[in-house]
Amino acid sequence: MHGIGASAPGDARTGLKGLFGRLYAWLRQERPPTVNPSFRLCYFDEVLATEHFLINKRRKHRPDAHDHPKARKKICKLIPDEHHQAGDHVRPTSGKLPKPTGTPKMDVDPARLDSHRMRPRPIPCTAVGIALSGGGIRSAAFSLGALQALDYHHVVAHADYISTVSGGGYIGACVTAAMSEGKGGFPFGTSDVRDNDALGHIRNYSNYLLPRARSQARNLLEVAAVLLRGLLANGILVFTFLLAAALLTSLRYSTWDELPLGNFLLKAITPDAWFHAFYCHVAAGFPDYAAPFVFTLILAAIVAALLILWAVVRSRWDNTWNDVDSPYLKFAWVLLGVVLLSAFLDLQPLAIHALGVLHLQPIDLGSKVLAILSQVVVIVAGASVALFARRLGAFLETTKLSPSILVRALRILTRTTIIAGGLVLPVVVLAAYWYLTACLYKESGVPQLVGAGAAFWLDVGMLVLLIGILPLFQANAYSLHQFYKDRLSKAFLFVPDFTGKADPPPLLNFKLSEISTLRGPYHIINAALNVQGSKEANRRGRNADFFTFTRDFVGSDLTHFVTTADNAHGKGMEKMDPRLDLGSAMAISGAAISANMGSNTVRWLSPTLALLNIRLGYWLRNPRDLGKLARLGASLREWGNAMFGKFYLLLEMFNTLDEEKAFIYLSDGGHIENLGIYQLLKRGCRLIIAIDADPDISCASLLKLERYARIDLGVRIILPWEQIRQRHRQTSIAISPVTPEEATRRRGPHCAVGRILYEDGSYGILLYFKSSLSGDEKDYLIDYKKRFRDFPHETTGDQFFTEEQFEVYRALGYHVVEGYFSDSDEVSYQCDGQRAWQTLHAAKIEVRQALGWI
């Protein structure tokens, strides 16, 4: 019998189970296990919802085109709703976007990713986008003229997006900042007759890297100082490792006579007594030339025996394991790596000893001078090859399928040159290690300032000092990025209304979050995320992924997206990285020269480029890492990231960048897609107006885009661009000074109109303008072409434009776009195939419908 108030044992167990269940539910609700509440991540669908919300808001407040005859009669919504009657040109979408609220819900759990939301398919909508291609100052000038013509015909006011890459980003960022900071109007005027003040300022800084307002001596000394600063900073980092390696070597090989014994790995992991016993009883039985490598040979014999055993096991008993997933294979490649590392380490004490013996030999003064000069020549040659890495890589890429014997011979020569140039600086660094170590032995005979005993303690003191200095360095602080950003910002980021002043007020530290989406198109700045070391993201060999900066979000599908500025959900990227602003994004998007250049990376030259500090790219905190829970505390985690971030140079040198590390490396958007069209296709735009100033009349960037769009997005592009190429080549031959006759003045085509076919059956329009000649250009453009035959496709390496050079590209950009919208040019259009137009007039009518003019 139970007393009053007592309960049965089963009831008690049930009550405890319920209590623990409620406690467990409360803990899960209040303490998410893997998401950092300070930095909330989101997928692309939330990014798109926010953009649509802001674009719809701008459309409601956007005035008509000032009584222009083509002015739109009404504002149409970006996302068709239930009452919107979709026309024949845009089918209703099969799914709906999340309702845009302006404050998106961020629910990415880095530990449990949704693969379907990471790589979304486009959802077609009525958005209109303008894409400005890469190409440095050449593209900036051409795109400036094109934008002037587009604004004259009231297209800029009716565009929803502007997507920029590299040089197109120079002028795109300039327009965005000026429209945000000014009164909202287009800053450069719409007249092709005269410059306004803003356009005059841009023209003054067309030679933005070495401004003409300063003396050339000052410009060159400033560049030299910046380069020297980076070299010294990298030198300190490398010298610290070399000092540590030299001291460790001298501690393990305490006397000069021990160096020829080799067997470095065994020497490093065993006491001296064991090592000498091994050498006396085992190595003594080998020839003199093999004795220093006995331990490596034993390791190699063990690996060989294990491989033979593996073959026997696979043959006799085990027929179930796949070779790829076999634990034997994983074990085997690790052992092979250890053998190779041991062989490399065995060579080091031998090389140090040989260096000392070489210096003990009598050498006349002339031979010494010749040796020094040859070393300088080799280093300079290696650096020169590294500087031309992009052009050498482009040559190898574009001549893969050439049947010409001469081209194949040039390819072999180019590859040999790249490998030789890439090895120069690493070998020099290795030789510096040999010399530093030899200085610690009085018998070495190498020239040095102090004795061997004093050198040891001097090296120890220097090592301690350098280890104290290293934590003060930041990867972006002394790279060429900051110099490049400052020069670009001075030229392109300024207050547009500066009447009565010699120079416009600069927009210093103009934040991405300060961009006004009511006054201009929504700006997407494209960069390349370098992932050469990623196992998952680099399966197709691209070496890069798409990365974007916008007013509201920073990130990519691979790293996810984090807000640009702080909001109610948590901190933004601008809070984490105070250096990040519009100028930084513009410079990152145009960071063409770097040790890692996305799909254009030349791996053999990466070590040399990194060591020489020839890198315009930017190290940014990984959004994906920011979203993880700091299990040991945020402060401790950030301290650890700051310390391990000092080893960025090694990651750049050996192409081990991926999406998992705390820092990611960003470079020129053209390193993966150089037209800026990809992000507009991803957003399902109905009309894309592309301005292509890429220096290739064969439209290689367009063909690459078609491949990416088909594979990644399920989008097909049908564009008849070949007629533009044919007319340009005919005109270029006719304009040549060796041709007796003048070029025929044909009106285009400079433009092609094609179809965008989305996966769900919807379709859009690609209005493609290419920098090309047809013979009807202004006389001073034809005259420039006669004197400079590569115009309008001069090398991107020329970033030092003259006034004439800037003007001919700007005028050509205006001419190319004006010819289409004034109905004066021939236009190449899709006249057969899926969704073809019967006439050019029908294609132009659909373009006007997409712009909302009819």
Side-chain angles (χ1 to χ4, degrees), residues 1 57-58 63 89 215 240 259 290 306 323 333 336 377 393 558 570 589 640 646 678 707 789:
M1 182 179 293
K57 187 176 180 180
R58 175 172 178 258
H89 305 290
S215 69
T240 304
L259 289 172
L306 289 174
D323 268 350
W333 77 258
L336 283 174
V377 169
L558 195 59
S589 179
K646 307 307 174 188
Y678 183 93
R707 171 162 54 90
R789 64 179 184 177

Side-chain angles (χ1 to χ4, degrees), residues 136 199 424 527 661:
L199 180 52
V424 166
K661 294 181 174 63

